[in-house]
Amino acid sequence: MPTMYLRKLTSSSIKISQCLNSARKSAFGFLASQRARLREGKLQSWSTPPTSSPPCSICLSSTFTGVRDGRTVEDPIPDEAKTLEFEDHLILKYKGVKLPLNYVWLRDHCRTGDSINHVTKERMMDSVMIDPNIQPVNVTVKEGNLKIKWPDGHQSEYGLDWLLHNTYEGQKHVCGTMGPFLWDAATLSASPPPRVQYQDYLTNDRQLAKVLHTLMKYGLAFIEEAPATMEATLAAAVRISHVRETSFGRHWVITSDQRQGAGYTTEALPLHTDNTHFNEPAGLLVSHMLEEGDSGGTSVLVDGFHAAERLRQDDPEGFDVLSSVPVPHFLEHSLDITGTGPIVELEPGPRKELRMIRYSDYVRGSLDTIPMEDVGRWYAALRRFTTYLRDPANAYWFQLKPGQILLMYNWRLLHGRSAFTGSQRKLGGCYLTRDGFLSRARSLKII
């Protein structure tokens, strides 16, 4: 028995030695080929920015192994960025994200020199005239910018943060760090959105930025101690963007005179989003309590994105139905306005991110956009989604007081109210476009 084990041990030792010799030969061959490719200019190489200050302790503890001057070296990863060049693209490593950047895309998105009209900021590059096989002559990263020299001598410069926010892979990272806070009543009560004072909001851009950030995160924001006038309502609105005029006018005051639909009564108002009869509903709803009624009129909000994500998780087929079947909504007074879109609308692209909830059952038109054999599936999906929306655990109830202004993201939140008494109740408001709201958020570096 000992002899048999000795033979096995000897055999195993010989095999291990053979594997090690083979590995050494492969490694030497690989390094030799890499050196040859480097001399021929075919080998991708990391480009790191110069650092004027010592790296942080985190950087010192992180290393990256690459090839430089024919040698395998181990360098500390700088806090800024690295680039790795390939035949038709480079990879930018920045803030923990690897961004593949196609060379044609980079040349097309150049914003320096004659590639852009520096007065109007319009593109001057003719995209189809770019050489599809274009490659950079030199790539460097310096002072927060990616700098590229092209074969024709043109110099391009791209901000690293700009690339992070304007590429597909970068946006996945940005969306992951700046996503909305999906809430039900308990989570919103436990982590309520911050409120700002009216005068501070009008005069201080930091307070305005706080409101916009709160809107992006929660879908709502409160402004306190505003004068109970329509002038104050409009001043709060135009602080963000221009007012969107609709068939209700530039602004409105909701009373109980029953002029323009269910909102103009003392009855309870079911959960809904506004402007579903428009092909592009208003982005922000501004509501300002000017005068209270005698009793009731309590407001309720529900996070439509929270309910939609729950539907996506529990019933993927139902989610696909509600996000793919266009549904007409109409408004008929002196005008005949019809808007069409799915109940749950998704952003374009493969990620299928939520874009808008279009839900207003009392102005929904005839369901004439799908064949009869699919109608049952649509109603089943709507029933389940509505169950989530009407779940009491998702309803955030509050009493809007005179002088309080509520800003609400109409593409995300549903709102309603309880019945009230007192004909003197007045709720002022207006609409803003989504484009205007997002433009203001970008200008203040919120997104």
Side-chain angles (χ1 to χ4, degrees), residues 26-38:
S26 297
F28 289 140
F30 173 76
L31 289 174
S33 66
Q34 296 292 78
R35 293 189 187 101
R37 292 178 65 200
L38 186 64

Side-chain angles (χ1 to χ4, degrees), residues 111-325:
R111 296 294 182 269
T112 57
D114 58 2
S115 297
I116 189 172
N117 184 316
H118 293 276
V119 176
T120 66
K121 305 303 180 183
E122 295 174 306
R123 293 165 43 87
M124 302 299 291
M125 171 62 62
D126 188 348
S127 304
V128 299
M129 297 303 293
I130 300 173
D131 179 1
N133 298 312
I134 192 171
Q135 291 182 330
V137 173
N138 187 46
V139 177
T140 59
V141 179
K142 187 176 182 181
E143 298 176 350
N145 293 296
L146 174 68
K147 299 183 178 183
I148 295 179
K149 182 178 181 180
W150 300 102
D152 61 358
H154 184 85
Q155 301 273 356
S156 296
E157 187 171 312
Y158 315 84
L160 299 181
D161 284 316
W162 183 90
L163 290 169
L164 193 64
H165 283 80
N166 289 274
T167 54
Y168 177 83
E169 288 77 13
Q171 285 189 346
K172 287 194 295 185
H173 170 76
V174 172
C175 290
T177 57
M178 296 182 60
F181 175 78
L182 304 184
W183 52 264
D184 57 15
T187 55
L188 188 63
S189 298
S191 180
R195 304 186 179 211
V196 302
Q197 299 299 305
Y198 177 78
Q199 287 299 330
D200 293 339
Y201 166 77
L202 290 186
T203 59
N204 189 323
D205 278 354
R206 289 189 176 182
Q207 295 302 306
L208 171 60
K210 180 187 291 188
V211 167
L212 296 176
H213 181 270
T214 302
L215 277 167
M216 296 294 297
K217 181 177 180 179
Y218 296 91
L220 70 148
F222 288 99
I223 300 173
E224 303 286 345
E225 297 185 11
T229 65
M230 273 307 305
E231 290 76 15
T233 311
L234 294 172
V238 299
R239 183 80 167 100
I240 297 175
S241 178
H242 62 276
V243 173
R244 175 178 175 176
E245 188 165 352
T246 69
S247 54
F248 296 101
R250 186 168 183 263
H251 58 83
W252 31 259
V253 177
I254 295 178
T255 60
S256 56
D257 60 7
Q258 303 186 26
R259 289 178 302 159
Q260 301 188 64
Y264 290 81
T265 69
T266 60
E267 299 173 2
L269 201 59
L271 289 168
H272 65 284
T273 59
D274 277 9
N275 295 167
T276 56
H277 53 281
F278 289 120
N279 285 307
E280 182 169 318
L284 285 187
L285 168 59
V286 182
S287 295
H288 184 190
M289 184 59 69
L290 303 178
E291 189 172 349
E292 286 186 290
D294 294 332
S295 63
T298 308
S299 299
V300 61
L301 298 176
V302 168
D303 188 350
F305 281 9
H306 177 268
E309 289 295 357
R310 185 177 171 187
L311 179 68
R312 192 199 310 247
Q313 179 178 353
D314 296 347
D315 183 7
E317 182 180 350
F319 180 87
D320 289 343
V321 170
L322 286 192
S323 61
S324 61
V325 175

Side-chain angles (χ1 to χ4, degrees), residues 42-62:
K42 295 180 179 179
L43 179 65
Q44 63 269 21
S45 60
W46 283 104
S47 174
T48 60
T51 54
S52 56
S53 57
C56 65
S57 58
I58 296 177
C59 298
L60 289 172
S61 65
S62 303

Side-chain angles (χ1 to χ4, degrees), residues 333-398:
H333 293 298
S334 58
L335 301 173
D336 186 346
I337 303 174
T338 301
T340 302
I343 300 296
V344 178
E345 185 172 325
L346 305 179
E347 293 283 1
R351 292 198 291 266
K352 295 187 176 182
E353 296 169 335
L354 295 172
R355 176 178 175 85
M356 173 172 58
I357 306 299
R358 186 189 294 264
Y359 187 100
S360 187
D361 207 47
Y362 52 87
V363 295
R364 181 162 49 83
S366 300
L367 187 60
D368 57 2
T369 52
I370 52 174
M372 283 298 109
E373 57 265 27
D374 294 332
V375 166
R377 294 170 56 242
W378 185 86
Y379 277 108
L382 178 67
R383 191 177 301 112
R384 188 160 193 171
F385 183 51
T386 301
T387 299
Y388 294 155
L389 292 174
R390 295 179 182 175
D391 184 344
N394 292 329
Y396 179 70
W397 290 91
F398 61 97

